[in-house]
Amino acid sequence: MTFGARLQQHRKNAGLSQEELSERSGVSVRAISDMERGRARSPQRRTTEALLDALDLDEPARDELRRLARSGRVAPAGPVWSLPLFVADLVGRDAELDTIAALDGGLVVVHGAAGTGKTSLAVKAAHLLEARFPDGQLLIELEGSAPPLRRLLKDLGVAGEHVPEDPDAQTRLYRSLLVGKRLLLVLDGVSTEKEVRTLATDRPGCLTIVTSRRRLAGLTGPTWIRLGGLTEEAAVELLASIIGPQRVEADHRAAVELVQLCGMSPLALRIAGNRLASRPRWPLGHLVEQLKERHLAALTAGDLEVRGAFEVSMAHLPETARLVFRRLGLLVGTHVTPQLAAELAGIEVVEAEQALEDLADVSLLDTDDRGYSIHGLVRTFANGLIDTTDEEAHRRMLTSLLETTVAAGVLFGQTGDARRVSPHGKAFPDVQTARCWLDGHRDLLPEIIERAQAGDLHDEVARAVIAVSHYASIEPGPVWEHVYRTGLASALQPWQEIVVLSQLGWVLFDMAGKPGPALEVLTRAAALAESSGETGHIGWVWLVASAAHSRLGRADEAERVCREAIEWMREPMDVLYARGVLGVMWCRMNRADDAVAVHEEVAGELRTFAHTLYELSALGRTLWWLGLALMAAHRPDEAVAAFTEAEEVYKRTRMTSWRARTLWHRAEAHRAKGRLAEEDEDLTAALTGFRATGDGFREIETLRALADNAKSRGDHSAWQRHLRDSLAACERWDTDATREIAAEVKKCLARG
């Protein structure tokens, strides 16, 4: 029963018209009419008492009318609605919208860093679900001035003067108004679990969508949706929706660079887009240059500012968490462990771990299987906070990273004078853990080295680049030329310089395909060994030099230098490896049968004891060489067997790059026997490996081989598809060599 309905009942029971009641009470006829029709739901106390006196009610009836007037227990005349307009160009969030749409009720927590579009997602979802919640959709901003529960009661039709002062009474009134309703509530900018427990609509048929920078892990039973940055494709689409697709299409490369500089953050992209939209004559590259020079300062448009959004996230963090976050501006790469954070901040590991958790809780860090990571504009923000007081922390971090590199690298085995490097204190429990660490830091080594050299940490750099020599052979890639060229400046002792030159020579010969420059570097290493008397690594210098001679067509000199290298080798494993290299040279000298014999002999010896990663990698390489020699001897079926054994070794040791190379050559052996299906299978598997290791050139060549295979089968559609994929890869890697290949592929496609 409502106040108006009960008032009308008492008036009629007293035989009074509205005019007569007005005359007795002093309350206007219009006010009485509004109350009885429900337009005025909760009269003021003085009005209520005047009506009670005029009706001459007994005490129970008086109490009832007072209670109805106080509570304002009147359902709104129609659905309540206080949503802002949704963002029309919300992109890249279809999966999240589908997750919310699949819910009939309950609680959803949308959490993520500042600027990821949490509110936009929640509002868009609420609009899309309007038909399923006919009693209304409300949005309450938790950071507003008035208490949120009072604002909710007002939206639900309770007049301000009738909202109870007692918070518990407010909660009871709020819950009672939700009875029987199907209502959707958006709680925007929640800070604590308590706010959700107080305000969330826990009635059946109601849905609450919470947005928060925090995960709010203390809640029970919600659906959590974490928002990160957009994909590159979605980010470009958002930019195009703001500035127009024509400007994006006119300079797509600049558009991609711009969204990357914006960290794929929707807020940053809207700011960048607004700046460009208001300056239609600006080329996209102009804003790109501004972002590179001014960073976050360039991401301001009107009342939108990226820096301010991050500062809000920082405001209520503990002091230790703020210190750790500032020091993360020094970080090399994006990944941080509690141990590294402790080094950076000069605190205990347990304190660092709690600080990282605090930062992850407000979405300034992401969590993953390896610990914590910092990305995009958040990292730029952290970098802008560092000052001169952080220099010692920077030095501690670099020393720690280099020493960890040594501890991980030595577990892969050492040769020659590289054995003189050993870790100082740090240790890994096993090779697998060390490999995981190196896999995550390999591409960061050039930056680590350059920073460390600027801080005069030369011995630390030299030890690190020497320690990873065998790991580099297991995980080859273009990064190693940069590592050894840069690291050479820190090799201040003759033996260090000889080892690093040897490694650089090997990289130039084996990875970069530059035997001439490799031989120049190796000759320099040999001369230094002779002048300094440091000959502990000379066997490896000559071994790589012999391979370079062979590649340059100097067969006799290559064999002579290789035999000299074998004489210099001090360890049985090193001798076996050098004999394998001699077999490779014989194969190039058209002595395939001799090469097969030596490779079979070396492989037989290695099989009897190979169990460490270094020994197994040597076995895999020997079997690979054996397969190549068997191909040269026109014995493809035996070559398939050798490649298969090598592939099993590489699969066991997780040497992805070498396994892919082996599959490539096994495909050649299958082709020699006309087994096109088996060739296709091996090429496809090799392609996956080359893509996984970032070997762009071999990816392109594999796609072209697949195209040739498709053409042999008469499959024109597959032929075109593989060639187009190879063309896309050429454009992605964009080197002189790939541009030449791209020109050839375009001619092939044009001819049809």
Side-chain angles (χ1 to χ4, degrees):
M1 181 68 72
T2 67
F3 176 84
R6 184 64 80 190
L7 174 64
Q8 184 182 57
Q9 187 181 69
H10 283 307
R11 178 178 62 76
K12 289 182 177 180
N13 288 342
L16 299 173
S17 65
Q18 288 182 348
E19 290 78 4
E20 289 170 332
L21 180 58
S22 171
E23 188 175 337
R24 284 190 182 190
S25 64
V27 179
S28 70
V29 173
R30 181 176 178 179
I32 293 172
S33 175
D34 285 348
M35 283 184 269
E36 289 186 354
R37 287 186 296 156
R39 295 185 63 184
R41 299 183 291 272
S42 301
Q44 296 182 9
R45 184 175 61 81
R46 284 180 297 177
T47 301
T48 302
E49 292 301 323
L51 291 169
L52 296 179
D53 291 341
L55 290 167
D56 194 24
L57 298 174
D58 59 21
E59 201 58 39
R62 285 171 174 263
D63 287 345
E64 181 191 27
L65 271 178
R66 289 189 186 107
R67 178 175 57 80
L68 290 174
R70 277 197 310 270
S71 66
R73 191 169 300 168
V74 180
V80 293
W81 192 86
S82 64
L83 292 177
L85 294 175
F86 63 83
V87 177
D89 54 5
L90 183 73
V91 299
R93 303 303 191 195
D94 291 346
E96 292 83 357
L97 288 170
D98 289 344
T99 297
I100 298 173
L103 301 172
D104 292 325
L107 177 63
V108 180
V109 176
V110 180
H111 63 102
T116 51
K118 301 180 291 294
T119 302
S120 296
L121 173 68
V123 171
K124 179 68 175 287
H127 279 278
L128 292 175
L129 297 177
E130 182 177 354
R132 285 170 43 189
F133 297 94
D135 294 310
Q137 300 86 39
L138 298 175
L139 181 141
I140 294 294
E141 296 178 358
L142 273 295
E143 296 175 357
S145 55
L149 190 51
R150 184 176 291 274
R151 277 180 280 153
L152 266 177
L153 289 171
K154 180 181 178 182
D155 284 344
L156 289 168
V158 180
E161 63 269 21
H162 294 291
V163 175
E165 293 299 325
D166 178 38
D168 291 337
Q170 291 178 7
T171 301
R172 288 194 297 271
L173 175 57
Y174 172 57
R175 299 296 179 201
S176 70
L177 294 174
L178 298 178
V179 174
K181 299 288 188 295
R182 289 190 60 80
L183 186 127
L184 187 150
L185 175 64
V186 177
L187 300 178
D188 189 36
V190 168
S191 298
T192 67
E193 287 88 348
K194 182 179 178 181
E195 290 174 327
V196 179
R197 295 186 186 108
T198 301
L199 301 173
T201 57
D202 56 358
R203 299 292 183 180
C206 292
L207 175 66
T208 302
I209 304 175
V210 170
T211 73
S212 178
R213 288 183 174 90
R214 297 181 178 274
R215 188 172 186 270
L216 304 177
L219 295 174
T220 302
T223 297
W224 276 286
I225 296 176
R226 184 192 174 281
L227 285 194
L230 298 171
T231 64
E232 184 178 292
E233 181 181 5
V236 173
E237 182 184 348
L238 175 57
L239 181 65
S241 72
I242 300 170
I243 67 173
Q246 298 83 0
R247 289 179 75 182
V248 169
E249 291 167 6
D251 196 349
H252 189 267
R253 182 171 294 184
V256 170
E257 188 173 6
L258 179 59
V259 302
Q260 290 173 345
L261 287 168
C262 287
M264 262 65 97
S265 160
L267 174 61
L269 287 165
R270 289 198 180 280
I271 292 172
N274 289 348
R275 285 177 67 84
L276 288 168
S278 63
R279 298 162 177 83
R281 295 182 180 179
W282 271 18
L284 272 62
H286 181 69
L287 184 55
V288 167
E289 292 304 315
Q290 283 196 350
L291 286 174
K292 288 179 178 178
E293 293 173 5
R294 299 172 56 204
H295 304 296
L296 293 184
L299 287 174
T300 303
D303 60 352
L304 294 178
E305 183 187 14
V306 172
R307 186 189 301 279
F310 292 140
E311 287 171 346
V312 171
S313 298
M314 288 278 290
H316 303 295
L317 285 172
E319 180 60 35
T320 302
R322 291 202 295 272
L323 170 64
V324 168
F325 183 75
R326 187 178 86 236
R327 295 280 171 82
L328 291 181
L330 301 166
L331 193 66
V332 179
T334 61
H335 185 259
V336 61
T337 62
Q339 292 75 18
L340 186 55
E343 292 273 10
L344 278 167
I347 58 178
E348 297 296 324
V349 173
V350 66
E351 294 179 278
E353 188 159 22
Q354 182 58 56
L356 294 174
E357 279 294 303
D358 290 338
L359 292 167
D361 194 40
V362 296
S363 301
L364 288 173
L365 293 183
D366 295 331
T367 57
D368 53 36
D369 293 340
R370 297 169 54 211
Y372 305 84
S373 54
I374 181 170
H375 293 284
L377 296 177
V378 179
R379 178 174 176 167
T380 303
F381 176 58
N383 186 263
L385 299 176
I386 61 176
D387 56 39
T388 55
T389 64
D390 299 318
E391 290 179 3
E392 184 55 36
H394 189 211
R395 189 179 182 86
R396 283 198 307 268
M397 176 194 67
L398 294 171
T399 301
S400 177
L401 288 170
L402 291 168
E403 191 56 41
T404 307
T405 302
V406 172
V410 297
L411 294 182
F412 290 81
Q414 300 297 96
T415 52
D417 270 351
R419 295 186 179 92
R420 294 165 72 169
V421 172
S422 59
H424 295 164
K426 289 184 178 288
F428 280 88
D430 50 51
V431 175
Q432 289 73 23
T433 308
R435 183 172 190 167
C436 183
W437 192 91
L438 285 172
D439 287 348
H441 290 80
R442 175 185 58 209
D443 293 337
L444 303 175
L445 280 174
E447 183 180 351
I448 294 171
I449 291 168
E450 288 170 6
R451 287 205 208 177
Q453 287 174 332
D456 292 327
L457 296 173
H458 292 294
D459 188 61
E460 290 85 347
V461 168
R463 292 175 59 250
V465 299
I466 290 170
V468 294
S469 57
H470 278 172
Y471 171 77
S473 69
I474 289 170
E475 294 292 345
V479 70
W480 297 115
E481 182 176 352
H482 192 171
V483 166
Y484 287 109
R485 281 196 186 281
T486 309
L488 191 59
S490 290
L492 304 182
Q493 300 179 50
W495 73 269
Q496 292 176 333
E497 187 176 354
I498 292 165
V499 176
V500 176
L501 284 169
S502 172
Q503 282 300 111
L504 177 58
W506 165 72
V507 167
L508 289 170
F509 160 74
D510 197 56
M511 295 185 191
K514 303 173 182 176
L519 199 55
E520 291 176 11
V521 167
L522 295 162
T523 301
R524 176 180 161 191
L528 180 59
E530 183 178 350
S531 64
S532 66
E534 292 281 6
T535 57
H537 206 73
I538 193 65
W540 287 94
V541 172
W542 289 130
L543 187 64
V544 181
S546 69
H549 280 299
S550 176
R551 186 71 59 83
L552 290 167
R554 304 167 184 167
D556 292 340
E557 181 67 4
E559 182 174 3
R560 183 191 69 76
V561 174
C562 187
R563 290 186 181 280
E564 186 173 347
I566 293 172
E567 293 299 318
W568 276 103
M569 293 298 183
R570 299 175 179 176
E571 299 290 331
M573 262 298 302
D574 299 349
V575 172
L576 286 174
Y577 193 89
R579 286 168 59 197
V581 172
L582 182 61
V584 172
M585 292 176 190
W586 284 344
C587 191
R588 287 183 178 163
M589 296 166 67
N590 296 320
R591 295 170 59 184
D593 291 336
D594 291 337
V596 167
V598 74
H599 290 318
E600 286 179 336
E601 185 178 322
V602 171
E605 292 188 45
L606 286 170
R607 288 191 192 99
T608 63
F609 66 85
H611 68 279
T612 68
L613 189 58
Y614 173 46
E615 292 162 352
L616 287 168
S617 69
L619 174 59
R621 183 71 73 93
T622 302
L623 291 165
W624 182 60
W625 286 334
L626 174 59
L628 294 175
L630 288 165
M631 286 287 290
H634 307 292
R635 296 153 65 180
D637 284 332
E638 293 174 74
V640 167
F643 287 134
T644 298
E645 187 180 355
E647 193 252 342
E648 286 299 320
V649 171
Y650 288 142
K651 184 177 180 180
R652 175 183 170 187
T653 54
R654 296 189 297 121
M655 294 173 65
T656 305
S657 177
W658 287 107
R659 183 187 177 206
R661 295 187 194 191
T662 302
L663 288 165
W664 164 274
H665 288 294
R666 191 171 72 183
E668 288 185 319
H670 282 307
R671 187 177 184 85
K673 296 294 288 187
R675 295 189 287 259
L676 297 187
E678 289 85 345
E679 181 191 2
D680 251 4
E681 185 178 348
D682 279 348
L683 287 173
T684 302
L687 179 63
T688 300
F690 292 141
R691 283 174 169 167
T693 56
D695 193 335
F697 187 80
R698 287 189 173 88
E699 174 190 351
I700 293 163
E701 288 303 291
T702 304
L703 285 165
R704 295 178 76 190
L706 283 166
D708 289 343
N709 217 15
K711 192 172 186 178
S712 298
R713 297 194 311 270
D715 189 340
H716 188 72
S717 175
W719 174 78
Q720 283 189 318
R721 185 178 72 254
H722 291 313
L723 283 184
R724 288 194 183 108
D725 286 347
S726 72
L727 188 60
C730 286
E731 292 172 351
R732 189 168 67 250
W733 292 103
D734 193 29
T735 65
D736 290 341
T738 60
R739 282 191 285 272
E740 288 182 16
I741 295 172
E744 293 177 18
V745 172
K746 287 176 182 177
K747 289 179 182 177
C748 289
L749 287 169
R751 289 194 298 266

